[in-house]
Amino acid sequence: MHGLMQDWPLLIHKIIDHAAVQHAGRPVVSRSVEGPIVRTSYAALRGRALKVAKRLARDGIREGDRVGTLAWNTARHLETWYGITGIGAVYHTLNPRLFEDQIVYIASHAEDRLLFLDLTFVAMMERLQDRLPSIERYVVLTDAAHMPRTRLRNAVAYEDWIAEVDEDFAWAALEETAAAGLCYTSGTTGEPKGVLYSHRSNVLHAMMANQRDALGLSSRDVAMPVVPLFHANGWSFGFSAPMAGATLVLPGPKLDGGSLAELLIEEKVTVSAAVPTVWFTLLQHLEATGLELPDLERVVIGGSACPRAVTRTFRERYGVEVLHAWGMTEMSPLGTVCSLKPDYGDLDVEAWLDVKERAGHPFFGIEMRIEDDDGRALPWDGEAFGRLKVRGPAIAKAYFHREEPILDHDGFFDTGDVATIDRFGNMQVVDRSKDVIKSGGEWISSIDLENHAVGHPHVAEAAAIGVPHPKWGERPLLVVVPKAGVEPDKDAILAHLATRLAKWQLPDEVVFVEEIPHTATGKIQKVALRERFEGWTPPG
């Protein structure tokens, strides 16, 4: 027997349809690539998305075709997502921070037929287009007045391109399991792998993300995703914000502290999201200028672990709650958010910060467990740590155009993280399985080392890696970028760590550098650091 309910497929265009009816005039604010602040609304964005869909169809783009986007967070970029998916094609976000060879590999592997790109990337794509024969047309996200002279294949200014059609278009009738989006992992080990989202998975993920213990967006929020739309599905903001009717502020290409502070203050942003390095820059700007954040209520921080000092500064100096988040491209990407459960009871500041350092608990739609190397389930006691595995309706079951299985016999995906889970279900990533430091039979968390090191007032950024040791197998080496204008003191940093870590967990040496390498998604490149310090031995 089946239930007698309507067959209402979960399709992405239903999100923007809802926003255009229930939140028609809600602002969508963009810092344009050309410079000025541009204001539109959900109703207008939907109309332009319909024109994108109609124009794509005229260009011969069909259901299942991949359409690339190489663009910053603006309304133009977002409306292409809805237009692309509205005809059954697949938006494929390209990350401009990748190496050019990686971009060529990803666009070729996806067989993109058309590419939307911002002015910023025209020169780069002119260099690469001869290596990308599948791309038939380049649509530059600008108007005729700003359109550069370019040798890009069949290049056209976006505003001219959509001006050739009107909004009289019906969204494609699709199965909710139809492919909708494609995002590749950053490829830190091996070639990047494509994660192919469906309409159903993206809609469900947006609904999951809007639970109060996750992003918790509402029509009263002003949301500014600093995290780029090209980074792991934009952390769902492109779908979650219009679904909830939140005002959307899109920062475009200017992600420096001053530009972000301007938008946060002028647009009265209540919630924002970015990787830790962005917040380092913002907090430094606020400290230097004395500016306040009167409207900001919460910031979502993910991509890598959020240092305790950042959480404390946001809370004590600006009255802003940090929501530490964890996830990955394969998870659409949100997996956990550290919103405190009432089970913890009343906590003093230090105990509150202890909990806030964790990655948080999964919201409905995500199952989680930890296992040892033999596949045995480990207890949720906050002490035992093992391989973190996940399962759910917005989690990948395979990679695009790859045959190797990625799920275990129970349908769980191995995240590659090593984690603990406490009795209240709060998860803490101890390390990546490939980055944990194994010393004398004990595991040392590089993340703990880094977070405690950044708590020292002279440390701007820190990275911990394991280096070979003849007796212990590996010992930790701490690589530090000192704050500008200070003379770093190795002994002071070690003394600071000694009050927070066991003696055997302390690094054998602290090395000062001007810059720590990062991946295209803002994560520390541990592989590059290990290569740089290969064969390193401490002085003396």
Side-chain angles (χ1 to χ4, degrees):
M1 180 182 293
H2 294 285
L4 300 176
M5 309 307 289
Q6 294 182 18
D7 183 10
W8 197 84
L10 301 178
L11 297 172
I12 286 171
H13 71 254
K14 291 182 182 291
I15 297 174
I16 199 63
D17 287 350
H18 169 78
V21 172
Q22 290 295 329
H23 310 285
R26 195 80 69 238
V28 178
V29 182
S30 303
R31 188 190 296 280
S32 67
V33 176
E34 294 87 350
I37 301 295
V38 177
R39 299 178 186 277
T40 185
S41 67
Y42 283 130
L45 193 147
R46 176 185 181 271
R48 286 168 61 85
L50 283 164
K51 295 175 75 171
V52 170
K54 189 170 185 176
R55 192 62 185 81
L56 284 169
R58 179 179 290 187
D59 271 3
I61 302 299
R62 298 289 179 259
E63 183 176 344
D65 286 344
R66 273 75 67 197
V67 176
T69 68
L70 186 63
W72 302 106
N73 288 14
T74 66
R76 280 176 177 152
H77 188 183
L78 187 57
E79 67 200 25
T80 67
W81 279 26
Y82 285 101
I84 292 164
T85 56
I87 63 167
V90 179
Y91 68 85
H92 171 210
T93 51
L94 288 160
N95 186 338
R97 296 170 180 162
L98 295 173
F99 295 116
E100 291 187 358
D101 284 349
Q102 288 179 306
I103 291 173
V104 169
Y105 172 84
I106 289 170
S108 299
H109 189 266
E111 298 177 302
D112 293 336
R113 289 192 57 198
L114 183 146
L115 180 68
F116 292 105
L117 71 159
D118 270 330
L119 288 165
T120 319
F121 310 116
V122 169
M124 178 176 70
M125 294 314 299
E126 285 179 334
R127 292 193 300 271
L128 301 183
Q129 71 167 337
D130 290 343
R131 301 167 63 189
L132 295 168
S134 70
I135 299 179
E136 301 161 15
R137 159 160 276 182
Y138 293 84
V139 181
V140 182
L141 294 168
T142 191
D143 54 25
H146 295 90
M147 181 69 177
R149 294 174 61 88
T150 177
R151 62 181 185 83
L152 286 174
R153 196 160 39 247
N154 294 321
V156 62
Y158 178 72
E159 297 298 338
D160 290 344
W161 183 73
I162 62 171
E164 296 179 9
V165 295
D166 57 25
E167 301 175 13
D168 184 15
F169 185 82
W171 302 121
L174 305 165
E175 297 289 335
E176 64 177 18
T177 53
L182 181 62
C183 185
Y184 281 71
T185 62
S186 56
T188 54
T189 56
E191 296 289 1
K193 297 180 284 291
V195 180
L196 188 61
Y197 309 113
S198 67
H199 283 259
R200 179 178 186 271
S201 71
N202 273 345
V203 173
L204 284 174
H205 182 263
M207 296 172 73
M208 291 155 56
N210 272 341
Q211 294 175 63
R212 184 63 184 90
D213 276 333
L215 299 182
L217 298 180
S218 80
S219 59
R220 293 166 295 284
D221 274 311
V222 180
M224 186 174 83
V226 182
V227 56
L229 291 173
F230 57 72
H231 180 193
N233 223 18
W235 294 9
S236 182
F237 274 88
F239 304 127
S240 297
M243 179 180 284
T247 294
L248 196 54
V249 179
L250 300 166
K254 296 184 69 174
L255 304 182
D256 59 281
S259 297
L260 294 179
E262 177 189 4
L263 288 175
L264 288 167
I265 295 167
E266 294 299 323
E267 302 301 331
K268 302 184 185 303
V269 171
T270 61
V271 57
S272 188
V275 298
T277 50
V278 168
W279 300 120
F280 297 159
T281 303
L282 174 70
L283 291 176
Q284 289 168 8
H285 177 79
L286 296 175
E287 182 180 358
T289 59
L291 291 171
E292 301 291 334
L293 298 171
D295 300 289
L296 190 62
E297 299 170 0
R298 59 198 189 278
V299 294
V300 183
I301 303 182
S304 57
C306 176
R308 186 185 187 95
V310 171
T311 304
R312 183 191 296 275
T313 300
F314 267 120
R315 172 187 166 118
E316 297 180 357
R317 176 68 181 83
Y318 301 103
V320 175
E321 182 183 8
V322 166
L323 295 171
H324 189 190
W326 168 86
M328 55 199 311
T329 305
E330 289 90 341
M331 298 180 69
S332 298
L334 295 176
T336 63
V337 175
C338 194
S339 52
L340 262 62
K341 294 181 179 180
D343 308 73
Y344 289 102
D346 294 328
L347 301 174
D348 61 27
V349 172
E350 295 306 318
W352 184 88
L353 287 168
D354 286 342
V355 178
K356 276 292 188 176
E357 281 190 300
R358 300 172 191 172
H361 58 92
F363 30 87
F364 176 77
I366 296 169
E367 300 175 45
M368 185 172 288
R369 68 187 187 189
I370 50 175
E371 296 179 352
D372 63 18
D373 286 339
D374 295 320
R376 291 186 294 261
L378 296 172
W380 289 17
D381 59 7
E383 299 293 333
F385 54 88
R387 294 181 176 276
L388 179 63
K389 293 187 173 183
V390 291
R391 183 170 67 180
I395 298 173
K397 64 180 180 182
Y399 290 118
F400 181 61
H401 282 173
R402 287 176 177 261
E403 296 182 358
E404 68 271 22
I406 65 172
L407 304 182
D408 69 12
H409 61 280
D410 290 325
F412 278 84
F413 173 76
D414 189 335
T415 66
D417 283 327
V418 176
T420 65
I421 304 177
D422 72 13
R423 64 193 179 99
F424 301 129
N426 244 359
M427 186 269 291
Q428 174 63 44
V429 174
V430 176
D431 222 327
R432 291 293 289 170
S433 59
K434 61 181 180 295
D435 292 335
V436 69
I437 300 165
K438 300 175 183 177
S439 182
E442 300 288 346
W443 285 13
I444 300 172
S445 168
S446 67
I447 293 174
D448 281 349
L449 268 174
E450 292 158 4
N451 285 346
H452 288 307
V454 173
H456 189 278
H458 291 175
V459 176
E461 189 176 15
I465 59 171
V467 293
H469 190 280
K471 180 177 180 180
W472 303 112
E474 280 187 326
R475 290 295 299 153
L477 170 69
L478 186 65
V479 183
V480 166
V481 177
K483 284 188 176 178
V486 302
E487 187 66 32
D489 185 335
K490 177 184 74 173
D491 292 335
I493 293 172
L494 288 173
H496 168 81
L497 293 174
T499 65
R500 293 158 174 82
L501 297 167
K503 185 176 181 180
W504 60 270
Q505 295 173 314
L506 295 175
D508 281 3
E509 185 63 68
V510 179
V511 176
F512 297 103
V513 297
E514 293 184 358
E515 185 179 19
I516 287 173
H518 293 84
T519 69
T521 53
K523 298 177 182 177
I524 294 172
Q525 278 192 318
K526 296 291 182 72
V527 173
L529 281 177
R530 284 191 284 266
E531 289 175 353
R532 176 175 175 180
F533 290 98
E534 185 178 6
W536 181 90
T537 54

